[in-house]
Amino acid sequence: MKELEELRFQLHEANETIEAIRTGQVDALVVQGQDGHQVYTLKSADQTYRVFIEKMTEGAVTLNQQGLILYCNSQFAFMAGLPLSQVIGISFEKFIIADDLSLYEESFRKCWEQDCKVELMLKTREGKAPVQLSLTTLELQEGRALSIIVTDLTAQKKTQQQLRENNIQLEEINHALELSNHDLQQFASIASHDLQEPLRKIHMFSNLLKANSKVLSQDLQTYLQKIIDSSVRMRTLIVDILNYSKLSANDHVMDCIDLKEIVNELIEDFELMIEEKKARVIVGDLPSIDANKGQIRQVFQNIISNALKFARADVAPVIEIKSRRVNKKTFNSADDADGPYWFISIKDNGIGFDEKHVQNIFSLFERLNSKDKYEGTGIGLAIAKKIIEKHNGIITAVSKPGKGAEFQMILPVTQNM
Amino acid sequence: MFKRKILLAEDDGDDQRFFNEFLKDRNDIILMPSADDGEELFTILGKIDKTGELPNLIILDQNMPKTNGLQALRLLKADSRYAHIPVSIYSTYIDEELMKKGLEWGACHVVQKPLSNEGYNQMIDSLFKVCASIE
């Protein structure tokens, strides 16, 4: 009993000593051996390093030249799932899974010549885990030893695997999307081309009938005109759908274009309508931006034509087009002479609309007004929105019924951002 | 008065009828019997080649079976016997690509099919203007 008590005391003392070393409170030990008292200083490092090694998230192990573990930090013992006492003194290769033993042995041979790293599977408390071993030789007074830093790669491998899976999934989705995009464009193109031929026939034969319509009653002549008007309208619809579907293709060239020039060209195109409606178009300073000329022209054309179309019956249309340079891609962005965006506004004094419809007017086929009163297909603003978005810009409208409408766009100065 | 001989290649019977009906009264053109498609165009040209009565103008429909308008245009321009004859392509629907390729491959005129009697006559007038500027 007394002996047992003695041993228990020694164990307690030893544990305390180890704890003291571990927490960095001890720099040297005096041990009573066969040759009297001996002083052991802790050469491995000063206190900072010992604390550092103990606290780090990697496992740290020191081996002798036979591969026996002389020292390990508690992180490694935690990884192995064993108390420290059962790790010290045993061969490190006991922790390597059988399949990777030869890999480890090869590195163990080489590392005495040159530092090396190896990835293999370690036996752990959870079975096994992928780790990276960084092997470095240490020149100690007692001879050479080997330091191994054990980095757990479980999370990294898992992330990599996840990334690979996500990439594969993304590729599949991309592929499917490309196919459906292609199908859609094919469909739009074929439908539009093939729809146009019979439509043109309807138009042609109706025109032939009309040329001889004197024999027809007034009613029949009206019906005939309705057939012609409808076929013209359908033709416009088909052309607009086709143009809209073409916007999905990503092959549009961007150049530096002068918006002022485009607007002036459009004013010339609209000359007749402007004269007829006694409209006034006030063009302020407009910038040059990186854009596809044909497409941006289309945007301005659609909005200006709307402004002329949706004029109030009793008031001559006034359209104001102006711009200012801003620093953010928001409609309330502050002015900034060197900002990366242009705020462009096209404002009219027409019939306007209720702002709760603002999202609708940019959707395909959405009309707020009856087609009897105002001609059009309801595609114009959808096309405008798609083009602006393709130019990395945004578009909105502010309006009140009877108070005119203002179309606002934010477009980047350059496209290579 | 110089009368231009016009050869039309068109597979659609109605369109052949419109063309001949609306243009038959013009005194500045001679309408040759139409070809029903791009292949027949070359059969006809091969026959009249020997008599030396080649057309002064060829109008090609774009959408024809077997040989379409653009393909026929290429063959015509690649053949030394016919390369000098001005060619026009007309189609129900003209897209950018047809316009670009047509002009690039040597057509002098790419237009949309007319919708009325006046439309057909205007098409011929404008075609003559383009031809005159080439001649």
Side-chain angles (χ1 to χ4, degrees):
Chain A
M1 275 307 272
K2 197 171 179 251
E3 264 177 23
L4 199 65
E5 197 61 35
E6 183 71 14
L7 278 172
R8 197 168 288 152
F9 176 74
Q10 276 182 15
L11 185 66
H12 177 72
E13 202 174 34
N15 271 339
E16 275 203 332
T17 313
I18 288 173
E19 185 57 27
I21 297 169
R22 192 169 299 292
T23 51
Q25 296 167 29
V26 176
D27 288 322
L29 300 171
V30 181
V31 177
Q32 191 179 13
Q34 285 155 342
D35 310 324
H37 287 87
Q38 280 186 305
V39 179
Y40 291 87
T41 52
L42 292 174
K43 285 173 245 157
S44 56
D46 58 24
Q47 185 198 348
T48 328
Y49 280 110
R50 264 178 284 128
V51 173
F52 177 69
I53 297 238
E54 199 51 45
K55 298 284 179 200
M56 70 184 193
T57 53
E58 270 117 343
V61 191
T62 309
L63 309 186
N64 68 8
Q65 293 186 44
Q66 283 72 50
L68 295 180
I69 298 174
L70 299 178
Y71 162 84
C72 82
N73 67 355
S74 45
Q75 179 62 29
F76 180 77
F78 176 72
M79 276 178 175
L82 293 171
L84 270 168
S85 54
Q86 286 182 40
V87 176
I88 309 281
I90 66 173
S91 174
F92 186 72
E93 63 178 36
K94 291 267 191 297
F95 296 99
I96 313 289
I97 67 157
D99 286 352
D100 287 345
L101 262 180
S102 58
L103 203 64
Y104 167 70
E105 280 161 5
E106 191 192 336
S107 302
F108 186 78
R109 256 198 320 279
K110 275 196 220 153
C111 70
W112 301 99
E113 306 299 323
Q114 194 179 11
D115 291 357
C116 64
K117 289 185 193 317
V118 60
E119 280 185 22
L120 40 71
M121 298 297 286
L122 200 72
K123 290 181 195 163
T124 64
R125 65 183 190 285
E126 280 150 358
K128 55 185 182 177
V131 294
Q132 184 191 58
L133 305 182
S134 304
L135 299 88
T136 309
T137 51
L138 302 169
E139 303 295 338
L140 302 177
Q141 241 168 20
E142 296 83 0
R144 304 182 83 191
L146 181 65
S147 144
I148 300 180
I149 302 292
V150 185
T151 312
D152 190 341
L153 299 179
T154 310
Q156 194 185 330
K157 295 274 176 197
K158 214 169 156 184
T159 315
Q160 280 173 359
Q161 179 65 25
Q162 189 74 47
L163 217 61
R164 261 197 301 274
E165 278 166 14
N166 287 353
N167 270 338
I168 290 169
Q169 218 170 12
L170 214 63
E171 258 170 47
E172 281 168 3
I173 293 171
N174 258 339
H175 185 65
L177 213 62
E178 254 169 47
L179 278 183
S180 96
N181 245 341
H182 182 74
D183 285 354
L184 213 64
Q185 275 178 42
Q186 286 279 77
F187 173 78
S189 161
I190 290 169
S192 304
H193 282 110
D194 294 352
L195 279 174
Q196 302 240 30
E197 293 189 358
L199 190 59
R200 176 172 164 274
K201 290 278 177 72
I202 295 173
H203 198 161
M204 283 292 294
F205 283 110
S206 306
N207 274 342
L208 280 181
L209 264 181
K210 196 184 166 191
N212 301 298
S213 67
K214 285 180 196 80
V215 293
L216 298 177
S217 72
Q218 197 62 43
D219 270 359
L220 293 186
Q221 288 189 33
T222 314
Y223 297 161
L224 190 57
Q225 192 54 47
K226 281 190 183 294
I227 294 175
I228 294 174
D229 291 348
S230 297
S231 62
V232 169
R233 199 177 132 62
M234 182 150 170
R235 188 185 145 68
T236 319
L237 263 169
I238 293 174
V239 172
D240 280 357
I241 294 176
L242 198 57
N243 287 339
Y244 184 80
S245 72
K246 273 189 197 152
L247 289 176
S248 300
N250 266 326
D251 52 357
H252 302 289
V253 199
M254 301 274 189
D255 287 317
C256 184
I257 59 161
D258 183 354
L259 293 182
K260 187 136 192 171
E261 194 185 301
I262 288 178
V263 169
N264 285 334
E265 279 173 22
L266 284 170
I267 292 175
E268 267 177 44
D269 291 353
F270 282 120
E271 204 184 346
L272 271 179
M273 206 168 164
I274 290 174
E275 245 172 61
E276 189 186 309
K277 301 217 169 193
K278 299 193 169 49
R280 206 149 56 88
V281 186
I282 305 162
V283 186
D285 260 348
L286 293 177
S288 291
I289 57 165
D290 272 358
N292 179 278
K293 189 172 178 185
Q295 289 185 358
I296 290 295
R297 192 175 198 281
Q298 179 91 61
V299 172
F300 279 84
Q301 183 178 327
N302 293 357
I303 296 176
I304 294 173
S305 112
N306 275 353
L308 290 169
K309 196 194 298 174
F310 297 113
R312 272 180 288 169
D314 52 338
V315 185
V318 177
I319 304 168
E320 203 178 341
I321 306 170
K322 55 188 179 183
S323 70
R324 55 193 176 86
R325 199 152 177 176
V326 296
N327 61 14
K328 278 211 265 338
K329 195 168 146 180
T330 53
F331 293 111
N332 56 4
S333 171
D335 285 10
D336 180 349
D338 301 313
Y341 297 100
W342 281 102
F343 176 100
I344 296 156
S345 148
I346 303 174
K347 193 175 174 183
D348 64 50
N349 60 344
I351 59 169
F353 58 89
D354 191 328
E355 244 170 68
K356 69 182 179 208
H357 300 304
V358 72
Q359 286 314 313
N360 298 348
I361 61 169
F362 292 107
S363 308
L364 213 50
F365 299 125
E366 203 66 47
R367 308 173 51 98
L368 300 180
N369 299 287
S370 81
K371 54 180 170 293
D372 295 342
K373 264 199 248 166
Y374 300 94
E375 61 180 40
T377 56
I379 301 181
L381 288 177
I383 288 180
K385 181 166 190 258
K386 200 159 173 183
I387 292 174
I388 294 298
E389 282 169 0
K390 276 188 89 74
H391 284 77
N392 303 308
I394 47 175
I395 182 169
T396 191
V398 262
S399 181
K400 276 198 186 85
K403 300 275 182 200
E406 179 182 3
F407 284 84
Q408 303 177 336
M409 297 173 258
I410 307 260
L411 281 166
V413 177
T414 58
Q415 288 292 334
N416 48 352
M417 285 194 294
Chain B
M1 175 172 195
F2 171 59
K3 290 187 172 191
R4 284 190 171 88
K5 291 188 290 292
I6 301 180
L7 176 54
L8 171 74
E10 165 72 77
D11 67 309
D12 189 298
D14 288 334
D15 278 343
Q16 279 193 17
R17 225 188 77 207
F18 293 143
F19 189 89
N20 291 306
E21 193 66 26
F22 294 150
L23 299 176
K24 68 175 194 291
D25 295 331
R26 284 183 76 121
N27 56 12
D28 54 352
I29 55 177
I30 298 168
L31 298 172
M32 299 172 71
S34 303
D36 287 337
D37 56 51
E39 273 183 15
E40 211 204 5
L41 171 76
F42 286 91
T43 317
I44 294 175
L45 285 175
K47 276 183 198 153
I48 52 180
D49 194 19
K50 288 160 193 129
T51 65
E53 291 290 301
L54 281 172
N56 304 103
L57 192 61
I58 295 173
I59 299 178
L60 302 171
D61 175 28
Q62 169 57 17
N63 282 332
M64 293 188 288
K66 291 182 268 191
T67 311
N68 71 22
L70 279 177
Q71 289 164 339
L73 171 68
R74 282 217 118 167
L75 293 172
L76 285 169
K77 292 300 167 191
D79 192 321
S80 59
R81 290 170 297 175
Y82 314 127
H84 66 282
I85 306 172
V87 180
S88 166
I89 292 184
Y90 84 149
S91 178
T92 309
Y93 181 77
I94 307 280
D95 59 16
E96 270 172 55
E97 204 191 330
L98 177 60
M99 180 65 86
K100 205 176 132 225
K101 277 198 177 146
L103 296 178
E104 209 175 284
W105 293 355
C108 59
H109 205 227
V110 179
V111 286
Q112 196 164 312
K113 282 189 182 175
L115 288 164
S116 62
N117 190 329
E118 301 78 57
Y120 272 91
N121 281 287
Q122 281 163 9
M123 175 177 80
I124 297 297
D125 291 341
S126 87
L127 194 48
F128 282 0
K129 262 188 214 152
V130 178
C131 288
S133 73
I134 295 170
E135 289 159 6

